[in-house]
Amino acid sequence: MPYLGRSTDGFGVRDRFVFTASGSETSLSGSDDNSRTLKYQDGTYIDVFMNGVLLLRGTDYNTNTTNTIAGLASLAANDIVEIIVYDVFSVADTVSKSDGGSFAGAVTFDSTATVTGAATLSSTLAVTGAQTLTGTTSATQIDIEGETLLEERAIMLEGTDSDFSNEGSLLLLDASASGTDAGEKLLFEANTLDSLTKEDPDALVLEDNDNNGFIFHNTSTNERVSTQKITLESGTQFEIPNTLTAPKVTGIAEISNVGGDQNTNFDNSVSVDIKAMSLGAGTHILDLDRNANFQLTLSGNITLANPANLTAGTTGSIFVIQDGTGSRTASFGTSWDFIGGTAPTLTTAASSVDRIDYIVLDSTNIHAVATLAYS
């Protein structure tokens, strides 16, 4: 089965779980060393390694119990069991792009929806974002931002002005009004309303670029009033500039490369979360692909084994905190390389804090520096 990579929720078709035995276990389930819960769709698609040796399914272990590796020979303390899960990938319950179909449930559009054909509404249409309708829309009532547009007050956009035989003019016309509302319209000569500019922070201007535009506003005399600008003053509450075009990254997303051979500058600070963990006695593996910074509170003597995956350039800090008892020690796997080749001796006073700063050199070497006895 090909590896399709991670999905946006942090789990993909291929996933890894690591358990460090405390001794005598014959089955493994629940949270692993990284507080991630073991789960799988089909026990057929699982590889189990104990101390790097691949176990034989059905002989060395079984998956008869849901989300559990069972039937293991009694594990020894500090045995490391690594479980690789290959989930089944499938796509179903889709509507065909070419043949169409029906949605039985509610459909939400987070961005612009463009309709180029006829749209028939048999129920209420709730519009919360920008919509562009370029075909025929049949509706008796449309509610927008708390305002109701009824069929008898429809707005029609025409291409000619019959009153003046001025072909090419743009006419915004109330097609069915009568009485005092008869002839309500807003008229601009063709090709004059070419720019929409923001003149200053307090005014939005529609500008006529050839001085021949006009507003047809007097329905009694059909008087044309020459103008060059329509200004919407402060308080008209337009959308914040650039909110529709500014790039934005949300949720769990990966940006593989930033910069493009250019310096990348951030005007504001950039922070990386600190993963807080309580570690009991035994061997533990930090997943540097999921977290860069760690806060480790020790309740026993620990060993930080070599991480399963190392990516060159990964950098961060590890805060090591003694619990209320203190006297906890830490040793390190061979990938952890300290100055002079000697691992530090932690401060052992109760509640004391040490910090280890590191950067990954390559797939087998982590350069680290320890700063001890913070107040």
Side-chain angles (χ1 to χ4, degrees), residues 59-331:
T59 299
D60 297 324
Y61 70 94
N62 66 69
T63 56
N64 299 334
T65 303
T66 302
N67 297 328
T68 300
I69 305 301
L72 296 166
S74 180
L75 299 178
N78 297 326
D79 278 346
I80 296 179
V81 178
E82 187 175 24
I83 303 167
I84 309 298
V85 175
Y86 302 85
D87 281 342
V88 177
F89 179 80
S90 62
V91 176
D93 194 19
T94 60
V95 175
S96 170
K97 175 182 178 182
S98 58
D99 299 331
S102 299
F103 291 96
V107 178
T108 300
F109 295 93
D110 293 331
S111 186
T112 301
T114 302
V115 179
T116 57
T120 302
L121 305 178
S122 58
S123 184
T124 301
L125 173 65
V127 180
T128 57
Q131 277 73 36
T132 302
L133 304 178
T134 58
T136 301
T137 302
S138 175
T140 59
Q141 176 176 330
I142 300 177
D143 294 327
I144 299 177
E145 298 294 339
E147 297 292 334
T148 300
L149 303 180
L150 299 174
E151 184 179 37
E152 62 270 17
R153 298 290 294 167
I155 301 297
M156 180 173 63
L157 193 65
E158 292 187 343
T160 61
D161 175 17
S162 57
D163 291 343
F164 300 98
S165 299
N166 183 16
E167 293 186 2
S169 63
L170 188 64
L171 181 67
L172 192 62
L173 174 67
D174 178 75
S176 61
S178 59
T180 58
D181 295 331
E184 287 184 351
K185 58 188 72 177
L186 181 64
L187 176 68
F188 292 96
E189 182 182 349
N191 300 323
T192 64
L193 201 63
D194 288 345
S195 64
L196 175 62
T197 62
K198 193 174 189 302
E199 195 169 71
D200 59 62
D202 293 323
L204 183 69
V205 179
L206 299 173
E207 185 171 348
D208 175 9
N209 65 351
D210 65 4
N211 298 327
N212 292 321
F214 52 85
I215 301 178
F216 190 175
H217 76 139
N218 191 325
T219 59
S220 298
T221 64
N222 286 341
E223 178 185 3
R224 301 179 183 184
V225 180
S226 179
T227 187
Q228 294 189 5
K229 296 181 181 180
I230 301 174
T231 302
L232 303 178
E233 298 293 343
S234 176
T236 50
Q237 296 182 359
F238 289 95
E239 180 66 357
I240 299 171
N242 298 325
T243 55
L244 299 181
T245 58
K248 180 169 61 175
V249 177
T250 61
I252 301 176
E254 178 180 350
I255 304 176
S256 55
N257 292 288
V258 176
D261 296 328
Q262 299 291 328
N263 174 265
T264 300
N265 177 65
F266 296 94
D267 290 336
N268 298 310
S269 64
V270 177
S271 62
V272 178
D273 290 342
I274 299 175
K275 174 68 173 179
M277 303 171 65
S278 296
L279 301 185
T283 300
H284 303 276
I285 299 176
L286 300 182
D287 190 341
L288 303 187
D289 273 354
R290 289 186 176 273
N291 300 97
N293 299 323
F294 297 84
Q295 177 182 306
L296 308 180
T297 301
L298 308 186
S299 60
N301 299 334
I302 67 164
T303 296
L304 291 183
N306 296 334
N309 297 296
L310 291 177
T311 301
T314 300
T315 184
S317 296
I318 302 170
F319 299 87
V320 182
I321 303 174
Q322 298 281 340
D323 65 4
T325 301
S327 300
R328 315 303 186 183
T329 64
S331 56

Side-chain angles (χ1 to χ4, degrees), residues 3 5-17 36 39 87 251-254 287 289-290:
Y3 173 52
R6 290 180 177 172
S7 65
T8 55
D9 64 1
F11 298 96
V13 172
R14 182 175 182 267
D15 211 346
R16 182 190 308 271
F17 301 87
R36 300 180 58 247
K39 62 179 180 179
D87 281 342
I252 301 176
E254 178 180 350
D287 190 341
D289 273 354
R290 289 186 176 273

